[in-house]
Amino acid sequence: MKFVAVEGVDGAGKSTLVAALAESLIADGYSVLTTREPGGTPLAESIRTFLLSDEGATIPKREQLQLVHKGRVDHVGTKIRPALDEGTIVISDRYELSSWVYQVAHEQDELEHVFQTMKQELDEQLGDFLPTYIMLDLPDTEVERRLKQSLKLNHFDATSIEAIAKRREAYEQGIVKVGSPYHVLDATQEREILVQNARIALGL
């Protein structure tokens, strides 16, 4: 079965696509598990809560990366891999690519080796179930508009055009570093069309 990770700039509609894609697949008889990162297990959710707190915002990127990795190892080992072994499609709102974008991209010289070592550990956990990414692409001006309307912003969100452009650049660089199969989809499409195109890209 497939492990799918949905990624994209802030406000691109990742959570909406995860839910809609799962609903479409379940309607056709597939077994589907949706989850998110950071999070997905009690340990990983507690790490998520800390990282989104004021205190979590102040710790160095290396420590953020280590905490996210600790939660991800637990997530893969206790939730994602067992579901895949049972023949369930797993769809995650974010995965390793977000770690590159949020913790590694702007401190690449210092943290790239750490990131790749962590990735190797996770790849070994997943075995034959390495992720396929769905990348949601959205114009910077539309990202800015959506984020200005959002009531759920946190300190990780890029809200200026300049910051959004840097975040997009980090995604484009990161998907190469992660080295997983990926499909870029236009996030301005209607939800039904976006789900259909996601299923075609994934062969589902």
mmCIF file of all heavy atoms in Angstrom, residues 4 21 25 37-38 45 51 54 58 62 70 74 95 100 129 140 155 163 189:
data_model
loop_
_atom_site.group_PDB
_atom_site.id
_atom_site.type_symbol
_atom_site.label_atom_id
_atom_site.label_comp_id
_atom_site.label_asym_id
_atom_site.label_seq_id
_atom_site.Cartn_x
_atom_site.Cartn_y
_atom_site.Cartn_z
ATOM 1 N N VAL A 4 1.462 8.360 1.587
ATOM 2 C CA VAL A 4 1.358 9.632 0.876
ATOM 3 C C VAL A 4 1.562 10.767 1.863
ATOM 4 O O VAL A 4 0.937 10.793 2.937
ATOM 5 C CB VAL A 4 -0.020 9.785 0.201
ATOM 6 C CG1 VAL A 4 -0.100 11.105 -0.557
ATOM 7 C CG2 VAL A 4 -0.304 8.609 -0.720
ATOM 8 N N LEU A 21 -9.181 13.656 0.034
ATOM 9 C CA LEU A 21 -8.598 12.500 -0.654
ATOM 10 C C LEU A 21 -8.956 11.211 0.087
ATOM 11 O O LEU A 21 -9.325 10.205 -0.528
ATOM 12 C CB LEU A 21 -7.080 12.675 -0.754
ATOM 13 C CG LEU A 21 -6.294 11.545 -1.419
ATOM 14 C CD1 LEU A 21 -6.781 11.289 -2.837
ATOM 15 C CD2 LEU A 21 -4.794 11.883 -1.418
ATOM 16 N N LEU A 25 -11.178 8.016 -1.381
ATOM 17 C CA LEU A 25 -10.628 6.661 -1.417
ATOM 18 C C LEU A 25 -11.478 5.685 -0.605
ATOM 19 O O LEU A 25 -11.730 4.551 -1.031
ATOM 20 C CB LEU A 25 -9.191 6.665 -0.902
ATOM 21 C CG LEU A 25 -8.171 7.360 -1.808
ATOM 22 C CD1 LEU A 25 -6.848 7.532 -1.081
ATOM 23 C CD2 LEU A 25 -7.960 6.569 -3.103
ATOM 24 N N GLU A 37 1.852 15.683 10.910
ATOM 25 C CA GLU A 37 3.158 15.911 11.514
ATOM 26 C C GLU A 37 3.397 17.406 11.716
ATOM 27 O O GLU A 37 2.943 18.203 10.881
ATOM 28 C CB GLU A 37 4.247 15.331 10.619
ATOM 29 C CG GLU A 37 4.234 13.815 10.589
ATOM 30 C CD GLU A 37 5.608 13.223 10.790
ATOM 31 O OE1 GLU A 37 6.595 13.952 10.590
ATOM 32 O OE2 GLU A 37 5.692 12.059 11.159
ATOM 33 N N PRO A 38 4.107 17.783 12.795
ATOM 34 C CA PRO A 38 4.419 16.907 13.913
ATOM 35 C C PRO A 38 3.125 16.412 14.555
ATOM 36 O O PRO A 38 2.134 17.148 14.592
ATOM 37 C CB PRO A 38 5.194 17.804 14.883
ATOM 38 C CG PRO A 38 5.609 18.999 14.102
ATOM 39 C CD PRO A 38 4.557 19.154 13.036
ATOM 40 N N GLU A 45 2.392 14.377 19.515
ATOM 41 C CA GLU A 45 1.480 15.500 19.740
ATOM 42 C C GLU A 45 1.983 16.403 20.866
ATOM 43 O O GLU A 45 1.837 17.624 20.810
ATOM 44 C CB GLU A 45 0.076 15.002 20.042
ATOM 45 C CG GLU A 45 -0.656 14.397 18.847
ATOM 46 C CD GLU A 45 -1.025 15.412 17.769
ATOM 47 O OE1 GLU A 45 -1.083 16.624 18.088
ATOM 48 O OE2 GLU A 45 -1.262 15.004 16.612
ATOM 49 N N LEU A 51 6.522 22.728 20.535
ATOM 50 C CA LEU A 51 7.149 23.501 19.460
ATOM 51 C C LEU A 51 6.312 24.710 19.049
ATOM 52 O O LEU A 51 6.866 25.728 18.610
ATOM 53 C CB LEU A 51 7.391 22.603 18.248
ATOM 54 C CG LEU A 51 8.495 21.557 18.398
ATOM 55 C CD1 LEU A 51 8.522 20.641 17.194
ATOM 56 C CD2 LEU A 51 9.851 22.219 18.597
ATOM 57 N N ASP A 54 5.334 29.465 23.012
ATOM 58 C CA ASP A 54 6.306 30.564 23.023
ATOM 59 C C ASP A 54 7.702 30.058 23.367
ATOM 60 O O ASP A 54 8.694 30.515 22.802
ATOM 61 C CB ASP A 54 5.870 31.632 24.036
ATOM 62 C CG ASP A 54 4.613 32.368 23.598
ATOM 63 O OD1 ASP A 54 4.291 32.327 22.393
ATOM 64 O OD2 ASP A 54 3.947 32.961 24.469
ATOM 65 N N THR A 58 11.683 29.569 20.783
ATOM 66 C CA THR A 58 12.988 30.158 21.080
ATOM 67 C C THR A 58 14.145 29.172 21.016
ATOM 68 O O THR A 58 15.302 29.578 21.073
ATOM 69 C CB THR A 58 12.971 30.791 22.477
ATOM 70 O OG1 THR A 58 12.785 29.757 23.468
ATOM 71 C CG2 THR A 58 11.845 31.808 22.605
ATOM 72 N N ARG A 62 18.473 23.103 15.612
ATOM 73 C CA ARG A 62 18.959 21.741 15.828
ATOM 74 C C ARG A 62 18.096 21.014 16.858
ATOM 75 O O ARG A 62 17.735 19.842 16.660
ATOM 76 C CB ARG A 62 20.419 21.748 16.288
ATOM 77 C CG ARG A 62 20.967 20.337 16.583
ATOM 78 C CD ARG A 62 22.397 20.429 17.072
ATOM 79 N NE ARG A 62 23.304 20.784 16.007
ATOM 80 C CZ ARG A 62 23.938 19.903 15.237
ATOM 81 N NH1 ARG A 62 23.736 18.603 15.408
ATOM 82 N NH2 ARG A 62 24.763 20.292 14.301
ATOM 83 N N LYS A 70 12.371 12.726 16.982
ATOM 84 C CA LYS A 70 11.973 11.802 18.046
ATOM 85 C C LYS A 70 10.490 11.445 17.912
ATOM 86 O O LYS A 70 10.102 10.281 17.998
ATOM 87 C CB LYS A 70 12.240 12.428 19.421
ATOM 88 C CG LYS A 70 11.913 11.507 20.586
ATOM 89 C CD LYS A 70 12.287 12.155 21.910
ATOM 90 C CE LYS A 70 11.997 11.206 23.068
ATOM 91 N NZ LYS A 70 12.380 11.819 24.367
ATOM 92 N N ASP A 74 8.643 7.689 16.576
ATOM 93 C CA ASP A 74 7.519 7.075 17.295
ATOM 94 C C ASP A 74 6.299 6.954 16.381
ATOM 95 O O ASP A 74 5.623 5.915 16.368
ATOM 96 C CB ASP A 74 7.182 7.924 18.520
ATOM 97 C CG ASP A 74 6.068 7.312 19.357
ATOM 98 O OD1 ASP A 74 6.238 6.181 19.841
ATOM 99 O OD2 ASP A 74 5.017 7.973 19.515
ATOM 100 N N TYR A 95 5.424 15.705 6.320
ATOM 101 C CA TYR A 95 6.342 14.635 6.721
ATOM 102 C C TYR A 95 7.756 15.220 6.711
ATOM 103 O O TYR A 95 7.939 16.385 7.084
ATOM 104 C CB TYR A 95 6.170 13.403 5.801
ATOM 105 C CG TYR A 95 6.946 12.187 6.259
ATOM 106 C CD1 TYR A 95 6.708 11.607 7.505
ATOM 107 C CD2 TYR A 95 7.938 11.610 5.449
ATOM 108 C CE1 TYR A 95 7.419 10.509 7.930
ATOM 109 C CE2 TYR A 95 8.654 10.505 5.874
ATOM 110 C CZ TYR A 95 8.385 9.961 7.108
ATOM 111 O OH TYR A 95 9.096 8.863 7.532
ATOM 112 N N TRP A 100 12.897 19.739 6.566
ATOM 113 C CA TRP A 100 13.889 20.464 5.770
ATOM 114 C C TRP A 100 13.524 21.941 5.686
ATOM 115 O O TRP A 100 14.354 22.821 5.906
ATOM 116 C CB TRP A 100 13.993 19.871 4.359
ATOM 117 C CG TRP A 100 14.941 20.672 3.515
ATOM 118 C CD1 TRP A 100 14.651 21.795 2.784
ATOM 119 C CD2 TRP A 100 16.342 20.465 3.396
ATOM 120 N NE1 TRP A 100 15.788 22.288 2.198
ATOM 121 C CE2 TRP A 100 16.840 21.500 2.561
ATOM 122 C CE3 TRP A 100 17.223 19.509 3.901
ATOM 123 C CZ2 TRP A 100 18.184 21.582 2.226
ATOM 124 C CZ3 TRP A 100 18.566 19.601 3.564
ATOM 125 C CH2 TRP A 100 19.029 20.630 2.743
ATOM 126 N N PHE A 129 8.023 1.006 2.079
ATOM 127 C CA PHE A 129 6.889 1.930 2.083
ATOM 128 C C PHE A 129 7.331 3.393 2.141
ATOM 129 O O PHE A 129 6.741 4.205 2.857
ATOM 130 C CB PHE A 129 5.972 1.635 3.269
ATOM 131 C CG PHE A 129 5.363 0.264 3.246
ATOM 132 C CD1 PHE A 129 5.720 -0.673 4.196
ATOM 133 C CD2 PHE A 129 4.433 -0.090 2.285
ATOM 134 C CE1 PHE A 129 5.161 -1.949 4.193
ATOM 135 C CE2 PHE A 129 3.862 -1.354 2.266
ATOM 136 C CZ PHE A 129 4.231 -2.281 3.228
ATOM 137 N N ASP A 140 2.319 33.107 -4.619
ATOM 138 C CA ASP A 140 2.661 33.781 -3.369
ATOM 139 C C ASP A 140 1.587 34.774 -2.925
ATOM 140 O O ASP A 140 1.275 34.882 -1.731
ATOM 141 C CB ASP A 140 3.994 34.519 -3.518
ATOM 142 C CG ASP A 140 5.158 33.567 -3.711
ATOM 143 O OD1 ASP A 140 4.968 32.342 -3.536
ATOM 144 O OD2 ASP A 140 6.264 34.041 -4.041
ATOM 145 N N HIS A 155 3.840 30.757 15.046
ATOM 146 C CA HIS A 155 5.115 31.439 14.780
ATOM 147 C C HIS A 155 5.909 30.793 13.646
ATOM 148 O O HIS A 155 6.906 31.361 13.189
ATOM 149 C CB HIS A 155 5.959 31.501 16.056
ATOM 150 C CG HIS A 155 6.312 30.161 16.634
ATOM 151 N ND1 HIS A 155 7.318 29.386 16.126
ATOM 152 C CD2 HIS A 155 5.774 29.463 17.666
ATOM 153 C CE1 HIS A 155 7.411 28.267 16.831
ATOM 154 N NE2 HIS A 155 6.490 28.296 17.774
ATOM 155 N N ALA A 163 8.849 36.393 2.887
ATOM 156 C CA ALA A 163 9.001 35.152 3.649
ATOM 157 C C ALA A 163 8.365 33.974 2.916
ATOM 158 O O ALA A 163 8.897 32.858 2.924
ATOM 159 C CB ALA A 163 8.386 35.313 5.033
ATOM 160 N N GLN A 189 -7.091 24.797 -7.905
ATOM 161 C CA GLN A 189 -8.167 24.032 -8.522
ATOM 162 C C GLN A 189 -9.311 23.783 -7.530
ATOM 163 O O GLN A 189 -9.108 23.778 -6.315
ATOM 164 C CB GLN A 189 -7.641 22.677 -9.005
ATOM 165 C CG GLN A 189 -6.577 22.754 -10.078
ATOM 166 C CD GLN A 189 -6.001 21.399 -10.397
ATOM 167 O OE1 GLN A 189 -6.254 20.853 -11.454
ATOM 168 N NE2 GLN A 189 -5.225 20.839 -9.496
#
